[in-house]
Amino acid sequence: ENRDLIGLSDQAKVRIAGDDRNAEATDITAGSAVLARQDKFVSFERSVHIVHGSQVIDANAALGDLTESQEYLSRLELDGDARIETPAARPGELKLMAGDVINLTYFENSDLLQSAIVTGKGALRIAGEPGVPERVLHARNVEIGMAPDGTTVTSLIARDQVVLDLPGTKGQPSKSVSSNALVASGAPGKGLTAATFTDEVQYRETGGTPPVK
């Protein structure tokens, strides 16, 4: 049935099938859901849980804009305790993204992430090489740019209460840098390779063998 407006309530369950190019299906559960075909948007409320491949998304509410073909999302806003986890993330990829609100933008006519904006109690975990602990970033506001693969972070701007933790490996000290602003850049296939901190920068090292004093 091709109605312009479809509403589901009382533990809605929605599956968005992959296209004929073997794109993975997306399964969504929520307290309620609205699909507005004419206005090209979808809305989910109350305990939103989205599973797409190995990626798991949770939020109190989600609002998405559909493409003209209605096969993909062009944008997705996650509101309230938003969290995106990719347990199998490869080096340089985001393993965790969390915040009060997360706004996602996708590459045209695809399910590949192009950029993300995290606001309010933002937290990111970026996977490291084998044997290297993941990098952890906290900030009030974070803007993230992705490579064409939709998974590798190639640019990052963080503002307000910025803290980057770099756990130590093999007896090396753990490092922590705090500031009010961070600008980082990188390249596809490499991830972030350079970072500049400004405004009230503080650097600390702890632990290690022998311990840092």
Side-chain angles (χ1 to χ4, degrees), residues 16-26 52-53 71-72 109-111:
I16 302 175
D19 61 16
D20 57 7
R21 288 170 291 183
N22 298 318
E24 296 181 276
T26 300
H52 177 73
E71 292 183 355
Y72 300 99
N109 294 320
S110 79
D111 57 4

Side-chain angles (χ1 to χ4, degrees), residues 22-111:
N22 298 318
E24 296 181 276
T26 300
D27 291 297
I28 307 168
T29 58
S32 64
V34 173
L35 170 59
R37 294 180 181 275
Q38 185 173 0
D39 295 325
K40 295 182 176 59
F41 77 85
V42 290
S43 176
F44 301 93
E45 300 283 344
R46 305 196 309 275
S47 302
V48 181
H49 183 70
I50 303 172
V51 178
H52 177 73
S54 63
Q55 188 178 77
V56 180
I57 300 174
D58 290 286
N60 294 339
L63 177 63
D65 292 333
L66 295 169
T67 60
E68 286 295 324
S69 67
Q70 300 183 18
E71 292 183 355
Y72 300 99
L73 290 169
S74 61
R75 189 186 68 86
L76 180 64
E77 178 181 318
L78 305 170
D79 192 3
D81 295 325
R83 186 181 183 91
I84 303 173
E85 291 187 83
T86 308
R90 294 171 296 184
E93 297 180 352
L94 280 173
K95 192 171 185 179
L96 169 70
M97 176 166 34
D100 292 340
V101 178
I102 300 177
N103 284 283
L104 307 174
T105 301
Y106 295 89
F107 284 105
E108 186 175 1
N109 294 320
S110 79
D111 57 4

